Amino acid sequence: MKRRKSLSLQILSIVLVSVFLLAACQPAGGEASEVEVFSWWTGGGEAAGLDAMIEVFKEKNPNIEFVNSAVAGGAGTNARAVLATRLSQNEPPDSWQGHAGQELIGTYVKDEKIEPLNFLYDEEGWLDVMPATLIPLISDGGNIYSVPVNIHRANVIWSNSQILADNGISIPTSMDEWFAAMDALQAAGVTPLSMGEQWTAMHLFETIMLSSLGPDKYNGLWDGSTDWGSSDVTAALEAFTKTLSYTNSDASSLSWQDASQLVVDGSAAFNVMGDWAQGFYQELGLEPNTDYGWAPVPGTGGNFQFLSDSFVLAVGAPDRDAALAWLKVAGSKDGQDAFNPVKGSIPARSDGDVSLYNVYLQSAMDDWASNTVVGSLTHGVVANDSWKSEIDTALGLFLQDQDVGAFQAALVAACASTGPCQ
Ligand code: GAL
């Protein structure tokens, strides 16, 4: 009798444990589900970073299918157009990659396309680990709207150390030193600076504006306190024009990876690109300091021109619970420490495991902590989409005609029509 009772107790506990385990494996809501995550990370170090975070997601959420709907094209030039169409048709992915700053606040929040996530920040304790500088850039009216996964640096110049040594050139630290170095390289028959398609020209442009204007006046461009029509801006645009004269003639047909590759192939001495180039070089099996060098863009030392990739929760997400499960991974230490060492970025969280990051990324961590931080134009921090797109149109014309006066007039007009000079 006693034996039978203990047997039925055993069976009961096995049943209970199984029910409990099954429940624990089910996604919230109880049904098998899927999450669609949208980005533009399809290759060149970027996909590898995303894959590493997806692995963490799958380990933690074995019953949620991950649907990776990334659309190729650096800086999201194609992906963001596809996303805009989907949003206008009310067919959002569950979650997408958006940049902290005006891209998020002035576009998706303004259009009421994403949900506030304060409850998730409370549940996960993220306010204790996310940088205080970042929170205002992802917030509006007390609501926090995204989960930052990283910090990228935009103002980096990558170099081929062998070419520099062969030509007796050391890393330039000012625009004048850089121009002198590029004159010498050009005379020696070397392409001084590699560049790719138009968004990489905008990327170069923002770093030269920072170099020429300095951080205070650069910041003033975006809040209306620096006059776009001033002689300081004219001088910066002239420096940009001169810089373009050192670039490869086939730039418009090259992706950012193509342009980065020219440096490590020995076909160009310098390239200006965000530190996703570090992720790309790593994927190629190259070693920092040996196969390539890096430094702040000349004249921008002490400044960290940043951007942050973050993930959002769509209003009307097809599977909201699965989207929240993804966001929890994106904001977690495990997720960020899997993603960033491969992506070429540093974790947004302050408690990343430093030993997982290579010598370049450790230097970026030091600079992020000690430099003056300013925002990127090309990657969504300082201007909303409408303003950025006007600047892009003006830049496109300028790349054709190199008319500084017309370019400056168009930039003044853009600030007046869609920027803070209205
Ligand atoms: C940026 C993005 C980076 C990187 C880069 C090149 O806009 O923030 O993560 O993907 O584009 O595609």
Side-chain angles (χ1 to χ4, degrees):
M1 184 64 185
K2 204 172 168 200
R3 223 147 124 226
R4 192 180 295 155
K5 197 169 175 191
S6 82
L7 186 66
S8 41
L9 262 180
Q10 271 177 23
I11 292 173
L12 182 66
S13 29
I14 289 171
V15 169
L16 280 177
V17 167
S18 314
V19 167
F20 175 78
L21 281 177
L22 263 178
C25 292
Q26 289 289 333
E31 287 160 25
S33 58
E34 64 174 39
V35 61
E36 184 193 357
V37 176
F38 187 94
S39 75
W40 54 86
W41 295 331
T42 59
E46 308 193 314
L50 179 58
D51 285 346
M53 194 156 55
I54 294 172
E55 278 313 303
V56 176
F57 177 78
K58 285 182 175 162
E59 272 162 35
K60 292 190 197 285
N61 301 280
N63 284 7
I64 305 181
E65 190 188 336
F66 189 94
V67 180
N68 178 358
S69 58
V71 172
T77 37
N78 305 326
R80 300 203 47 231
V82 173
L83 178 66
T85 306
R86 287 187 58 173
L87 294 183
S88 72
Q89 295 168 344
N90 286 326
E91 285 175 3
D94 296 292
S95 180
W96 66 85
Q97 170 202 355
H99 288 124
Q102 280 303 309
E103 178 181 314
L104 195 83
I105 302 302
T107 312
Y108 307 132
V109 172
K110 182 168 149 274
D111 297 344
E112 299 179 358
K113 297 295 181 193
I114 54 180
E115 274 195 38
L117 296 168
N118 301 46
F119 69 97
L120 205 56
Y121 274 72
D122 289 343
E123 274 170 40
E124 302 293 310
W126 286 338
L127 283 175
D128 298 335
V129 288
M130 295 290 185
T133 40
L134 212 49
I135 299 298
L137 295 170
I138 53 173
S139 301
D140 191 45
N143 287 325
I144 307 178
Y145 281 97
S146 73
V147 181
V149 283
N150 67 2
I151 303 293
H152 264 307
R153 188 175 196 175
N155 60 319
V156 188
I157 185 166
W158 308 92
S159 56
N160 182 306
S161 318
Q162 190 62 49
I163 295 182
L164 298 193
D166 290 349
N167 290 276
I169 288 168
S170 46
I171 299 279
T173 57
S174 67
M175 289 296 290
D176 285 345
E177 280 178 25
W178 194 21
F179 290 149
M182 293 200 287
D183 284 335
L185 289 161
Q186 215 159 35
V190 177
T191 300
L193 178 64
S194 69
M195 196 175 80
E197 58 189 310
Q198 185 166 323
W199 75 262
T200 73
M202 184 187 275
H203 187 109
L204 179 64
F205 167 74
E206 70 182 43
T207 67
I208 304 290
M209 296 304 274
L210 173 63
S211 176
S212 189
L213 294 171
D216 292 341
K217 286 185 188 153
Y218 173 81
N219 284 338
L221 292 172
W222 314 113
D223 66 13
S225 61
T226 297
D227 178 3
W228 281 88
S230 65
S231 55
D232 287 337
V233 172
T234 312
L237 297 180
E238 278 162 357
F240 176 54
T241 315
K242 189 166 168 61
T243 310
L244 287 175
S245 72
Y246 298 104
T247 58
N248 43 309
S249 55
D250 59 350
S252 64
S253 63
L254 302 187
S255 68
W256 72 262
Q257 288 100 333
D258 295 334
S260 300
Q261 181 101 41
L262 291 177
V263 170
V264 288
D265 279 357
S267 305
F270 297 112
N271 173 246
V272 170
M273 191 37 58
D275 47 12
W276 41 92
Q278 148 64 36
F280 177 50
Y281 289 154
Q282 185 165 307
E283 189 170 85
L284 295 178
L286 303 172
E287 288 295 328
N289 275 334
T290 312
D291 299 314
Y292 58 92
W294 75 86
V297 167
T300 69
N303 297 289
F304 194 112
Q305 197 168 24
F306 98 104
L307 57 121
S308 171
D309 295 310
S310 69
F311 283 90
V312 301
L313 174 61
V315 166
D319 194 329
R320 189 173 182 278
D321 289 334
L324 290 175
W326 164 249
L327 293 175
K328 282 182 193 169
V329 170
S332 71
K333 182 169 151 62
D334 287 355
Q336 300 205 358
D337 275 346
F339 173 74
N340 289 299
V342 183
K343 178 67 166 65
S345 38
I346 60 176
R349 294 176 63 112
S350 53
D351 58 354
D353 178 351
V354 178
S355 71
L356 298 172
Y357 295 81
N358 78 2
V359 58
Y360 165 75
L361 290 169
Q362 289 189 8
S363 80
M365 285 176 175
D366 291 345
D367 289 350
W368 169 248
S370 60
N371 281 192
T372 301
V373 172
V374 302
S376 162
L377 162 67
T378 315
H379 310 284
V381 183
V382 292
N384 64 33
D385 278 7
S386 316
W387 189 15
K388 184 180 143 190
S389 129
E390 277 203 65
I391 295 173
D392 194 41
T393 303
L395 173 65
L397 291 172
F398 174 70
L399 291 174
Q400 302 296 322
D401 64 18
Q402 308 260 317
D403 182 338
V404 170
F407 188 28
Q408 188 163 13
L411 293 170
V412 169
C415 186
S417 69
T418 41
C421 317
Q422 295 172 57

